[in-house]
Amino acid sequence: MFILFGSPRSGTTLYKESLNLHSNIFIPNQTTFISPIAHVIGCISDWEKAQPIIIDIITSTDDYTEVLKPYISPIEIQEVLSTAEHTLAGVLEAIYNRIGRNSGKAMCGDKTPDDMLAIRKLEQVGLLNSNIKLVHIVRDVRGVMLSLKNVSWAPEGIEEYFPRLWNYTNLHLYKLMRGRPNYFFLRYEDLVSRPQDVLSRTTAFLDLPFETTMLDHNKRAPILRNDQSHLKLSEPFLNDRAVAWQSDLDRDIRQHCEASASEALQAFGYAL
């Protein structure tokens, strides 16, 4: 399996839905169970006590019925975890291997932007030192902030603290993992400007052949394309959106982003 990491509004859904057009890849819609069970594993060392809590968390999340249950039942979760390695990586591999078997896909992954906020906990419980493949997409925080200011669910005042979160979480994952064979890093700006190149390198990383169907925006995200947060998912790769912040982002927010996240901006090759 693999995990697709990225901050909110960084192109994780566009990337996921493009990968899902591959005949042998499946990534369900956003889940919410990885970070909670990481905390359970981190504080309950007795697996006989931790396992039923983990099962209960996975099957009780608000999104389980819609997102995961069509591909793995509660009974199957209990079954695969009974023989899984007693680690977060073992739990995830057991679940997604069964989802892959049930869906007929060779490679399955998880995509949950909120897990970036728990990156240190995921590191502490050993996930980042496992053999699970990690795909990490980063978008210029100034572009992220412009996108966040255009969605209704973003908390008031997010421009004050989010650039610092973006800087820390993405830089921590990048510096910890770069150079490792199970880590693939890309920038959103490269995905939308050179989609075939980025997607072909992604499939090579996942040990799968590239398929041109991943470039077909007409087939992308049939369920999410009517979601108010993802109205542009069914459009071609929009290179102009990657630089829209240069003209559309409030000057004060732009300066705050550059002051708060300059280290990561420079590390990822973004000009200040």
Side-chain angles (χ1 to χ4, degrees), residues 9-252:
R9 309 308 290 177
S10 292
T12 56
T13 303
L14 171 65
Y15 192 30
K16 174 192 77 108
E17 291 299 329
S18 298
L19 291 173
N20 267 347
L21 292 175
H22 192 287
S23 62
N24 261 315
I25 296 177
F26 175 63
I27 311 169
N29 287 335
Q30 192 163 312
T31 63
T32 53
F33 72 90
I34 292 182
S35 295
I37 66 174
H39 286 279
V40 171
I41 291 171
C43 67
I44 302 177
S45 57
D46 186 334
W47 186 251
E48 289 188 4
K49 294 179 179 179
Q51 185 183 18
I53 298 174
I54 291 170
I55 295 171
D56 191 44
I57 288 175
I58 296 171
T59 57
S60 299
T61 53
D62 290 342
D63 51 67
Y64 170 72
T65 299
E66 179 182 354
V67 175
L68 289 181
K69 192 175 182 180
Y71 308 101
I72 183 168
S73 68
I75 292 176
E76 287 179 299
I77 290 176
Q78 185 171 357
E79 176 187 329
V80 298
L81 292 195
S82 67
T83 58
E85 180 182 324
H86 299 174
T87 63
L88 178 57
V91 169
L92 297 180
E93 287 180 326
I95 289 173
Y96 279 95
N97 285 343
R98 178 59 64 89
I99 290 174
R101 192 179 83 178
N102 291 346
S103 62
K105 304 293 184 178
M107 180 65 69
C108 288
D110 184 278
K111 191 279 289 187
T112 307
D114 287 348
D115 285 337
M116 282 296 292
L117 297 175
I119 197 65
R120 180 69 180 120
K121 176 56 67 175
L122 300 183
E123 178 189 6
Q124 288 176 334
V125 298
L127 180 66
L128 305 187
N129 285 323
S130 70
N131 292 323
I132 289 178
K133 294 188 175 186
L134 307 181
V135 178
H136 181 196
I137 183 170
V138 164
R139 182 181 185 180
D140 189 318
V141 69
R142 294 162 292 192
V144 173
M145 282 310 311
L146 178 61
S147 183
L148 283 171
K149 296 300 287 183
N150 290 327
V151 294
S152 60
W153 49 261
E156 184 177 353
I158 192 171
E159 67 273 9
E160 291 296 325
Y161 61 84
F162 184 82
R164 295 184 180 90
L165 291 176
W166 179 91
N167 182 81
Y168 163 69
T169 54
N170 285 287
L171 200 58
H172 184 76
L173 180 59
Y174 175 73
K175 288 193 171 184
L176 183 69
M177 296 301 301
R178 64 178 172 177
R180 298 192 191 184
N182 64 324
Y183 177 70
F184 181 77
F185 174 83
L186 72 145
R187 304 191 315 173
Y188 165 81
E189 293 78 8
D190 299 324
L191 172 64
V192 296
S193 63
R194 304 193 310 275
Q196 181 166 339
D197 172 60
V198 170
L199 291 171
S200 63
R201 288 191 292 115
T202 306
T203 52
F205 171 74
L206 298 175
D207 296 320
L208 295 170
F210 171 73
E211 293 181 0
T212 57
T213 186
M214 292 189 292
L215 303 173
D216 190 349
H217 65 277
N218 291 308
K219 296 180 180 179
R220 189 192 303 140
I223 296 176
L224 293 175
R225 62 177 57 195
N226 294 319
D227 187 313
Q228 291 299 309
S229 298
H230 301 296
L231 293 178
K232 297 185 183 298
L233 270 181
S234 59
E235 298 183 18
F237 290 97
L238 300 172
N239 190 34
D240 60 316
R241 295 306 304 160
V243 295
W245 63 266
Q246 296 177 5
S247 58
D248 298 348
L249 185 64
D250 181 86
R251 180 183 177 186
D252 289 343

